[in-house]
Protein backbone atom coordinates (compact mmCIF):
# COMPACT_ATOMS: atom_id res chain seq x y z
CA UNK A 1 0.00 0.00 0.00
CA UNK A 2 2.70 2.54 1.04
CA UNK A 3 4.91 1.49 -1.88
CA UNK A 4 2.04 2.14 -4.29
CA UNK A 5 1.38 5.61 -2.84
CA UNK A 6 5.06 6.54 -3.08
CA UNK A 7 5.24 5.13 -6.61
CA UNK A 8 2.25 7.22 -7.69
CA UNK A 9 3.59 10.34 -5.98
CA UNK A 10 6.99 10.10 -7.67
CA UNK A 11 5.79 9.34 -11.18
CA UNK A 12 3.85 11.12 -13.86
CA UNK A 13 2.80 14.72 -13.53
CA UNK A 14 3.20 14.79 -9.75
CA UNK A 15 6.76 13.47 -10.06
CA UNK A 16 7.72 16.24 -12.45
CA UNK A 17 6.04 18.85 -10.25
CA UNK A 18 8.03 17.54 -7.27
CA UNK A 19 11.19 18.00 -9.36
CA UNK A 20 10.13 21.57 -10.19
CA UNK A 21 9.36 22.47 -6.56
CA UNK A 22 12.56 20.83 -5.30
CA UNK A 23 14.77 22.69 -7.80
CA UNK A 24 13.30 26.04 -6.86
CA UNK A 25 13.33 25.01 -3.19
CA UNK A 26 17.09 24.55 -3.43
CA UNK A 27 17.45 28.06 -4.87
CA UNK A 28 15.22 29.43 -2.10
CA UNK A 29 17.34 27.60 0.49
CA UNK A 30 20.49 29.10 -1.01
CA UNK A 31 18.94 32.56 -0.72
CA UNK A 32 18.02 31.89 2.92
CA UNK A 33 21.58 30.72 3.69
CA UNK A 34 22.93 33.79 1.89
CA UNK A 35 20.69 36.13 3.87
CA UNK A 36 20.99 34.53 7.30
CA UNK A 37 24.77 34.18 7.16
CA UNK A 38 25.28 37.44 5.22
CA UNK A 39 27.20 35.70 2.43
CA UNK A 40 27.89 37.19 -0.98
CA UNK A 41 27.49 34.55 -3.70
CA UNK A 42 30.34 34.16 -6.15
CA UNK A 43 29.77 33.92 -9.93
CA UNK A 44 29.91 30.12 -9.81
CA UNK A 45 27.25 30.03 -7.07
CA UNK A 46 24.96 32.25 -9.12
CA UNK A 47 25.51 30.12 -12.22
CA UNK A 48 24.64 26.94 -10.31
CA UNK A 49 21.43 28.61 -9.14
CA UNK A 50 20.60 29.37 -12.78
CA UNK A 51 21.12 25.71 -13.65
CA UNK A 52 18.75 24.70 -10.82
CA UNK A 53 16.12 27.15 -12.08
CA UNK A 54 16.54 25.97 -15.68
CA UNK A 55 16.20 22.37 -14.56
CA UNK A 56 13.11 23.27 -12.54
CA UNK A 57 11.49 24.90 -15.56
CA UNK A 58 12.25 21.80 -17.65
CA UNK A 59 10.57 19.62 -15.00
CA UNK A 60 7.55 21.94 -14.99
CA UNK A 61 7.15 21.84 -18.77
CA UNK A 62 7.65 18.06 -18.83
CA UNK A 63 4.77 17.66 -16.36
CA UNK A 64 2.38 18.70 -19.13
CA UNK A 65 3.80 16.57 -21.95
CA UNK A 66 2.04 13.32 -22.77
CA UNK A 67 3.93 10.22 -21.62
CA UNK A 68 5.69 7.89 -24.04
CA UNK A 69 6.22 10.53 -26.72
CA UNK A 70 9.38 11.62 -28.47
CA UNK A 71 8.97 15.05 -26.90
CA UNK A 72 9.03 13.48 -23.41
CA UNK A 73 12.31 11.75 -24.29
CA UNK A 74 13.74 15.01 -25.63
CA UNK A 75 12.83 16.79 -22.40
CA UNK A 76 14.40 14.01 -20.35
CA UNK A 77 17.56 14.47 -22.41
CA UNK A 78 17.45 18.22 -21.77
CA UNK A 79 16.95 17.60 -18.05
CA UNK A 80 19.91 15.22 -17.90
CA UNK A 81 22.10 17.61 -19.92
CA UNK A 82 21.13 20.52 -17.67
CA UNK A 83 21.89 18.42 -14.59
CA UNK A 84 25.25 17.45 -16.10
CA UNK A 85 26.00 21.09 -16.91
CA UNK A 86 25.18 22.11 -13.35
CA UNK A 87 27.30 19.25 -12.04
CA UNK A 88 30.20 20.46 -14.19
CA UNK A 89 29.97 23.97 -12.71
CA UNK A 90 29.72 22.49 -9.21
CA UNK A 91 32.80 20.31 -9.82
CA UNK A 92 34.75 23.32 -11.04
CA UNK A 93 33.69 25.26 -7.94
CA UNK A 94 34.67 22.35 -5.70
CA UNK A 95 38.02 22.12 -7.50
CA UNK A 96 38.70 25.81 -6.83
CA UNK A 97 37.87 25.33 -3.16
CA UNK A 98 40.06 22.26 -2.89
CA UNK A 99 42.99 24.10 -4.51
CA UNK A 100 42.54 27.53 -2.97
CA UNK A 101 46.26 27.82 -2.18
CA UNK A 102 47.04 27.99 -5.89
CA UNK A 103 44.18 30.42 -6.67
CA UNK A 104 45.01 34.10 -6.78
CA UNK A 105 43.30 35.80 -3.85
CA UNK A 106 41.99 38.59 -6.10
CA UNK A 107 38.21 38.80 -5.90
CA UNK A 108 37.85 39.78 -9.53
CA UNK A 109 34.84 41.56 -10.97
CA UNK A 110 31.26 40.81 -9.98
CA UNK A 111 28.68 38.96 -12.03
CA UNK A 112 26.66 42.14 -12.73
CA UNK A 113 29.72 43.94 -14.05
CA UNK A 114 30.60 41.03 -16.34
CA UNK A 115 27.01 40.88 -17.66
CA UNK A 116 27.01 44.56 -18.56
CA UNK A 117 30.57 44.94 -19.92
CA UNK A 118 31.73 41.71 -21.54
CA UNK A 119 30.60 39.56 -24.43
CA UNK A 120 28.75 36.41 -23.33
CA UNK A 121 31.64 34.19 -24.41
CA UNK A 122 34.18 36.21 -22.42
CA UNK A 123 31.79 36.35 -19.47
CA UNK A 124 31.39 32.55 -19.46
CA UNK A 125 35.18 32.12 -19.63
CA UNK A 126 35.65 34.49 -16.68
CA UNK A 127 32.90 32.83 -14.65
CA UNK A 128 34.31 29.35 -15.28
CA UNK A 129 37.79 30.56 -14.36
CA UNK A 130 36.46 31.54 -10.97
CA UNK A 131 37.73 34.11 -8.52
CA UNK A 132 39.27 34.21 -5.07
CA UNK A 133 35.71 34.45 -3.76
CA UNK A 134 34.87 31.16 -5.45
CA UNK A 135 37.63 29.40 -3.53
CA UNK A 136 36.36 30.57 -0.15
CA UNK A 137 34.44 28.09 1.98
CA UNK A 138 31.96 30.17 3.94
CA UNK A 139 29.37 27.57 4.90
CA UNK A 140 29.15 23.78 5.28
CA UNK A 141 26.47 21.26 6.13
CA UNK A 142 27.48 17.84 7.48
CA UNK A 143 31.03 18.69 6.43
CA UNK A 144 30.00 19.29 2.81
CA UNK A 145 30.48 22.63 1.06
CA UNK A 146 27.77 24.23 -1.06
CA UNK A 147 29.33 23.09 -4.38
CA UNK A 148 29.58 19.54 -3.05
CA UNK A 149 25.92 19.63 -2.03
CA UNK A 150 25.04 21.08 -5.45
CA UNK A 151 26.99 18.30 -7.18
CA UNK A 152 25.09 15.66 -5.22
CA UNK A 153 21.79 17.40 -6.04
CA UNK A 154 22.52 17.71 -9.77
CA UNK A 155 23.52 14.04 -9.92
CA UNK A 156 20.32 12.99 -8.16
CA UNK A 157 18.20 15.20 -10.43
CA UNK A 158 19.76 13.58 -13.51
CA UNK A 159 18.95 10.12 -12.15
CA UNK A 160 15.47 11.30 -11.14
CA UNK A 161 14.77 12.59 -14.67
CA UNK A 162 15.60 9.17 -16.10
CA UNK A 163 13.50 7.48 -13.40
CA UNK A 164 10.51 9.67 -14.30
CA UNK A 165 10.83 8.75 -17.98
CA UNK A 166 10.95 5.05 -17.13
CA UNK A 167 8.14 5.12 -14.55
CA UNK A 168 4.70 3.99 -15.61
CA UNK A 169 1.89 6.49 -15.32
Amino acid sequence: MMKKVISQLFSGKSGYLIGFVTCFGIVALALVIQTVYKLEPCPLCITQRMFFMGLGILFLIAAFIKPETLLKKIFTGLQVLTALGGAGWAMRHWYLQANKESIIADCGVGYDYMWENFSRIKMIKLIFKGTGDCAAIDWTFLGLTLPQLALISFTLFGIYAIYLLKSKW
Side-chain angles (χ1 to χ4, degrees), residues 42-43 96 103-104 106-109 126-127 129-136:
C42 73
L96 291 173
I103 304 296
I104 298 173
D106 179 25
C107 293
V109 296
L126 286 171
I127 291 170
K129 185 177 178 184
T131 66
D133 286 347
C134 294

Side-chain angles (χ1 to χ4, degrees), residues 121-154:
I121 293 172
K122 185 172 182 178
M123 185 181 85
I124 289 170
K125 286 179 183 178
L126 286 171
I127 291 170
F128 197 66
K129 185 177 178 184
T131 66
D133 286 347
C134 294
I137 299 173
D138 298 323
W139 191 86
T140 61
F141 178 72
L142 300 176
L144 298 171
T145 65
L146 287 171
Q148 291 169 330
L149 293 167
L151 177 59
I152 292 167
S153 298
F154 283 122

Side-chain angles (χ1 to χ4, degrees), residues 51 55 78-88 153-155 157-159:
F51 272 102
L55 189 56
L78 290 173
Q79 291 161 354
V80 170
L81 287 174
T82 303
L84 287 172
S153 298
F154 283 122
T155 303
F157 277 125
I159 293 167

Side-chain angles (χ1 to χ4, degrees), residues 6 14 31-32 49 54 71 78 80 85 88 102 118 126 134 136-137 140 161:
I6 291 173
S14 63
L31 290 170
V32 168
R49 291 178 191 180
L71 191 56
L78 290 173
V80 170
S102 62
F118 296 125
L126 286 171
C134 294
I137 299 173
T140 61

Side-chain angles (χ1 to χ4, degrees), residues 109-118:
V109 296
Y111 191 76
D112 292 335
Y113 181 84
M114 285 189 275
W115 184 262
E116 293 172 6
N117 296 296
F118 296 125

